[in-house]
C-alpha cells in the first residue's frame, strides 16, 4: 500500500541523486575544459535532455496510464535534479553583464538547439531500439 507521500519521497530521493551527478559533471568539465564559459551547465543540459528523451520514450512504451512511480523517480527526480535551466539563465545573464555578448548568444542558442536535438535523438534511439 502506498501513501500520499510516496510520490514526493520518490522525487526527493531522485532529485538528490540527480543533483549529486550534476555536481560531479560540473567538476569534470572544470578539469577538462577551459575556464570562462559555462561548459558545465551546457553539458548537463544537453546530456540531461538526451536522457529525458530516452527515458520519456522508454516510459511511454511501458506506461499503462496513470502516474508511473519509475517516471517520478527517474524523470521528475533524478533528471529534474540533474538538469536546471535556472543555472542556464544565470550563466547567460552573467556572460551578458560582463560584456561578452557573443559568448552569451552562442551559449543561449547552443543550449536550446543542442538540447532540443538531444531530446529528438533520445526519443529516436528508444523508438529505433524498441
Amino acid at each position: 500500500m502506498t501513501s500520499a507521500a510516496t510520490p514526493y519521497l520518490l522525487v526527493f530521493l531522485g532529485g538528490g541523486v540527480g543533483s549529486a551527478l550534476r555536481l560531479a559533471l560540473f567538476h569534470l568539465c572544470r578539469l577538462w575544459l577551459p575556464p570562462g564559459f559555462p561548459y558545465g551547465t551546457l553539458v548537463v543540459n544537453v546530456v540531461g535532455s538526451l536522457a529525458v528523451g530516452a527515458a520519456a520514450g522508454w516510459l511511454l512504451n511501458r506506461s499503462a496510464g496513470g502516474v508511473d512511480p519509475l517516471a517520478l523517480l527517474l524523470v521528475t527526480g533524478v533528471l529534474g535534479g540533474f538538469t536546471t535551466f535556472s543555472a542556464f539563465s544565470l550563466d547567460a545573464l552573467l556572460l551578458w553583464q560582463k560584456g561578452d555578448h557573443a559568448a552569451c548568444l552562442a551559449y543561449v542558442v547552443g543550449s536550446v538547439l543542442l538540447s532540443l536535438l538531444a531530446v529528438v535523438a533520445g526519443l529516436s534511439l528508444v523508438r529505433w531500439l524498441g
Side-chain angles (χ1 to χ4, degrees):
M1 181 173 177
T2 61
S3 75
T6 301
Y8 295 95
L9 181 60
L10 290 171
V11 171
F12 172 77
L13 294 173
V17 170
S19 295
L21 290 171
R22 180 177 68 234
L23 180 62
L25 191 51
F26 279 162
H27 284 298
L28 289 175
C29 287
R30 281 192 198 146
L31 290 173
W32 295 339
L33 298 169
F37 189 82
Y39 290 108
T41 303
L42 177 62
V43 170
V44 162
N45 283 337
V46 172
V47 169
S49 294
L50 176 66
V52 163
W58 178 67
L59 290 165
L60 286 173
N61 286 339
R62 70 181 289 277
S63 175
V67 177
D68 185 345
L70 192 55
L72 288 173
L73 178 68
L74 293 178
V75 176
T76 307
V78 174
L79 295 173
F82 182 70
T83 62
T84 172
F85 263 34
S86 59
F88 158 80
S89 299
L90 178 60
D91 290 335
L93 178 64
L94 293 174
L95 284 170
W96 186 267
Q97 286 180 338
K98 80 177 190 182
D100 201 346
H101 299 153
C104 178
L105 182 62
Y107 178 58
V108 169
V109 171
S111 292
V112 173
L113 290 180
L114 291 172
S115 294
L116 288 171
L117 289 172
V119 169
V120 169
L123 283 169
S124 297
L125 175 67
V126 169
R127 289 181 181 142
W128 180 73
L129 292 173

